[in-house]
Amino acid sequence: MDAEFWLAKWDRNEIGFHAQHPHDGLVQYFPTVCVPPGCHVFVPLCGKTLDIHWLVKKGYTVSGVELSRRAVEQLFDELEIQPVISSLTTDVTVFEGDGLRIFVADIFALTPSMLGQVDAVYDRAALVALPAASRAEYAQLLVGLSQCATQFLICVEYDQIKLSGPPFAVMESDVEHYYARYYSIKSISRYPVANGIKGKVPGYEHIWLLKPSEVRS
Ligand SMILES: C[S@@+](CC[C@H](N)C(=O)[O-])C[C@H]1O[C@@H](n2cnc3c(N)ncnc32)[C@H](O)[C@@H]1O
């Protein structure tokens, strides 16, 4: 899944991952188990998710990163926010307005100083969008970028033999493999996905809360 894969998806409007309502788990759990309104939330690989609409309307300050400029233009249009657009580097452009800031970039081009201090990370369809070969590097990057901020992580679990991703199956052992060095990991909710993964194979969504450990190695 290189950049061309995702940019082509946006260009062809093949965005089956884009949900038509904010994620139920976000609405139900995020303000109480993760961080309250007013906090700064980082949304990696954000697309034009309605989760950002919900977070902004709840009073969170939101930063995101997304490869596709088309997606980010649509996000601001749909929110009816007129962005101020500036180039930070040749590879990183930023759209800003009304408590929302989205970097148009490959997440691997972001630095902690560009992002600044964040209170929490909201990862829905980001870790699971990446193939196994780049997931560990992404997880490590996210820990560094967010300076080990609390994470609200939504994974999908299914038999990877029966279906190729994305979304890729990320099981409990994978979450532990990527994050147990940095976080205490708590299961918040696990439930079957209605109609299965991509309507094809049975699977579950699993919501995790990752809280920074006292002692980090
Ligand atoms: C499965 S979609 C999920 C989007 C969003 N989180 C949602 O829930 O609707 C993954 C998104 O990540 C973006 N993306 C993929 N790789 C990326 C990267 N390395 N850096 C930034 N964005 C990336 C894609 O363009 C796509 O919009």
Side-chain angles (χ1 to χ4, degrees):
M1 262 92 254
D2 56 10
E4 295 315 314
F5 170 89
W6 291 107
L7 294 175
K9 288 258 175 219
W10 281 101
D11 288 347
R12 292 194 222 106
N13 205 32
E14 291 171 0
I15 54 169
F17 53 79
H18 177 69
Q20 298 306 315
H21 55 81
H23 194 279
D24 289 341
L26 170 72
V27 174
Q28 189 175 354
Y29 300 112
F30 190 82
T32 47
V33 307
C34 195
V35 292
C39 287
H40 182 196
V41 180
F42 178 47
V43 185
L45 283 59
C46 62
K48 59 168 188 169
T49 177
L50 298 186
D51 297 342
I52 288 181
H53 293 230
W54 186 87
L55 286 163
V56 167
K57 282 174 188 153
K58 268 286 186 189
Y60 291 94
T61 302
V62 178
S63 293
V65 60
E66 167 55 48
L67 271 176
S68 165
R69 184 177 178 118
R70 181 178 297 245
V72 177
E73 287 168 351
Q74 290 178 16
L75 173 68
F76 277 83
D77 279 354
E78 289 166 15
L79 277 162
E80 300 182 345
I81 299 174
Q82 185 67 48
V84 174
I85 303 171
S86 42
S87 289
L88 296 187
T89 69
T90 46
D91 297 327
V92 182
T93 298
V94 64
F95 282 49
E96 291 178 273
D98 291 2
L100 176 62
R101 179 178 59 153
I102 306 290
F103 298 95
V104 180
D106 185 327
I107 191 170
F108 290 96
L110 282 195
T111 63
S113 65
M114 287 176 190
L115 184 59
Q117 189 264 334
V118 298
D119 300 306
V121 173
Y122 174 73
D123 180 326
R124 185 257 161 187
L127 182 66
V128 300
L130 300 171
S134 48
R135 235 178 276 144
E137 194 185 350
Y138 161 85
Q140 189 74 38
L141 175 82
L142 204 49
V143 170
L145 277 178
S146 72
Q147 294 164 65
C148 213
T150 296
Q151 280 199 45
F152 191 90
L153 170 64
I154 304 173
C155 292
V156 287
E157 300 175 347
Y158 64 94
D159 185 349
Q160 193 71 85
I161 303 289
K162 295 193 175 145
L163 187 71
S164 58
F168 296 96
V170 175
M171 314 303 279
E172 178 168 359
S173 57
D174 300 314
V175 176
E176 282 170 2
H177 173 66
Y178 300 133
Y179 288 123
R181 275 181 67 203
Y182 306 101
Y183 295 103
S184 68
I185 299 170
K186 183 177 171 194
S187 171
I188 300 296
S189 181
R190 183 177 186 267
Y191 44 86
V193 174
N195 305 318
I197 308 294
K198 291 183 171 172
K200 290 182 181 151
V201 303
Y204 291 83
E205 265 191 346
H206 202 152
I207 303 179
W208 299 98
L209 185 70
L210 278 50
K211 288 267 189 195
S213 307
E214 292 293 312
V215 179
R216 288 173 218 148
S217 52

